[in-house]
Amino acid sequence: MEILSRPPAPGCPKRMVFGPCGGVRTDGTCEMLPTPCVFDALTDLPDHSVDEAPSTPSFGPLLQPPGVEWPPMILTDLSTPPADASALRSTVRRLAPSCDAVLVGDHQDRVDFPPSTLARLIADAGAVPWVTLACRDRNRITLEQELRALALDRLATVLCVTGDGRAYDVRPDITQAFDLDGTRLAGLAASLGLRVAVAETPTAPPRALRPKRLVQKQQVGAQLGCLNHVPSVAHLTAFLEAARAAGLRMPVIASVVVFTDHRSAAALTALPGLTIAPERIEAVLTAADPVEAGMTAAVDEAVQLLQVPGVAGVNLSGLASAQSMLAAAEIQADIGHRIRTARGDRQ
């Protein structure tokens, strides 16, 4: 693919061609270096002359297995200890009846099973797998190996991301690869017939470029966009209107913040580029029953987001609870069931 060989933007520590990444801080600085993001001063994205990939209006990519709900209305984050197959299976079995698919991340501070193995474990436990594939810890050859393994099994949607950069004190002796960025990885995954989702952060600087950047990912073959948290439904609506004006046709999944205590709230607010309304955090954490307040707020947000044109589903995103893995899964499952009830869907 021609886009794989393009030179990165000068000065970008992630060696991105299709930037900016989602980790630009609110002041426009890079998450990896104490300097401005090299893309932040742009008034428009460079014209990379990307040819539009064939569209899939029926959401039926080549490798979609029969009986899979795609795109999912409810996508739930999977949070389990790394490389613990037993814990993964038990958590997946608890979540599966409450959602259409589960999403496993690609974390910067721990070593887990490869995405292709995670996909198999999740599927064997009875859920539809979504796996995140990041460019931080894998060179291009390893990325291609993972994509081919995922294409062989025909089990998972792959969420293609550039990946967060590791902090200076997180495995500082390990090289960060960044041979590709999320957009070029999405193009490579689409060329292999995979179901491809991509991420975008509407609230990260430079905000005016974010809608067009999502369209670029569509142009290389992405079939679904996953949007990070926004402060309000109005922010999401405005972003999608701008994206459609730029040529967006693929549906999106909107993130719903799920937290019920201080630690799970802090895990979300610590992520660069993400914005959560402070009054929402305060309302949950100061409630007489923070767990119930957090679940109610998540259900309310999900129902509102699902009414926005272009939103095909929601991602229940976050640690949910710091009490235990089981407590977090119970909260996520309860929220999923409540969303279905609120929408009038059969359980």
Side-chain angles (χ1 to χ4, degrees), residues 75-77 229 255-261 263-268 276 280 284 291 294-295 297-299 301-302 315-322 327-333 335-336 339:
L75 174 68
T76 301
D77 279 3
H229 313 294
S255 288
V256 172
V257 289
V258 181
F259 65 94
T260 57
D261 51 36
R263 182 181 167 192
S264 56
L268 289 164
I276 304 171
R280 173 166 177 184
V284 170
V291 173
M295 291 194 294
V299 173
E301 182 183 22
N315 173 210
L316 304 185
S317 175
L319 185 61
S321 173
E330 293 286 350
I331 289 169
Q332 291 171 308
I335 292 171
I339 293 171

Side-chain angles (χ1 to χ4, degrees), residues 16-17 77 103 121 178 181 196 276 302 318:
M16 298 187 73
V17 174
D77 279 3
L103 169 64
L121 289 170
F178 293 117
D181 54 39
V196 180
I276 304 171

Side-chain angles (χ1 to χ4, degrees), residues 65-341:
V68 170
E69 182 73 21
W70 202 90
M73 186 185 79
I74 301 176
L75 174 68
T76 301
D77 279 3
L78 177 63
S79 299
T80 58
D84 188 333
S86 177
L88 182 147
R89 292 189 188 99
S90 62
T91 305
V92 168
R93 292 187 185 113
R94 180 66 187 91
L95 293 175
S98 67
C99 62
D100 301 301
V102 295
L103 169 64
V104 61
D106 191 351
H107 302 286
Q108 61 170 329
D109 58 348
R110 58 195 188 189
V111 178
D112 205 342
F113 295 120
S116 53
T117 302
L118 289 167
R120 169 58 64 185
L121 289 170
I122 292 169
D124 287 348
V128 176
W130 277 44
V131 296
T132 305
L133 187 58
C135 304
R136 173 189 56 251
D137 301 318
R138 302 174 181 88
N139 64 21
R140 177 175 161 182
I141 294 296
T142 308
L143 290 169
E144 291 184 13
Q145 289 174 333
E146 277 300 312
L147 289 174
R148 291 186 182 279
L150 291 165
L152 178 66
D153 275 352
R154 304 180 178 224
L155 294 173
T157 293
V158 58
L159 176 62
C160 296
V161 301
T162 303
D164 298 332
R166 287 195 298 270
Y168 72 94
D169 58 344
V170 177
R171 304 178 72 87
D173 54 324
I174 306 298
T175 302
Q176 302 187 66
F178 293 117
D179 277 1
L180 298 176
D181 54 39
T183 304
R184 290 181 289 163
L185 179 62
L188 182 58
S191 73
L192 296 175
L194 283 158
R195 300 189 307 278
V196 180
V198 290
E200 191 53 74
T201 306
T203 57
R207 294 177 184 84
L209 304 186
R210 297 290 170 177
K212 185 175 179 180
R213 183 167 181 263
L214 183 58
V215 173
Q216 283 185 333
K217 296 180 180 184
Q218 172 187 273
Q219 290 172 335
V220 302
Q223 299 127 5
L224 186 68
C226 292
L227 304 183
N228 276 321
H229 313 294
V230 293
S232 68
V233 174
H235 283 83
L236 176 65
T237 301
F239 174 83
L240 288 177
E241 288 176 350
R244 283 193 290 270
L248 184 71
R249 297 189 308 278
M250 65 181 177
V252 302
I253 289 179
S255 288
V256 172
V257 289
V258 181
F259 65 94
T260 57
D261 51 36
H262 286 277
R263 182 181 167 192
S264 56
L268 289 164
T269 57
L271 297 172
L274 304 190
T275 304
I276 304 171
E279 58 270 20
R280 173 166 177 184
I281 297 175
E282 182 179 5
V284 170
L285 298 184
T286 60
D289 186 345
V291 173
E292 178 60 32
M295 291 194 294
T296 299
V299 173
D300 290 346
E301 182 183 22
V303 171
Q304 293 178 46
L305 293 175
L306 285 167
Q307 295 173 350
V308 177
V311 175
V314 290
N315 173 210
L316 304 185
S317 175
L319 185 61
S321 173
Q323 293 183 31
S324 68
M325 180 182 66
L326 177 60
E330 293 286 350
I331 289 169
Q332 291 171 308
D334 197 345
I335 292 171
H337 287 305
R338 292 190 194 190
I339 293 171
R340 293 192 186 282
T341 300

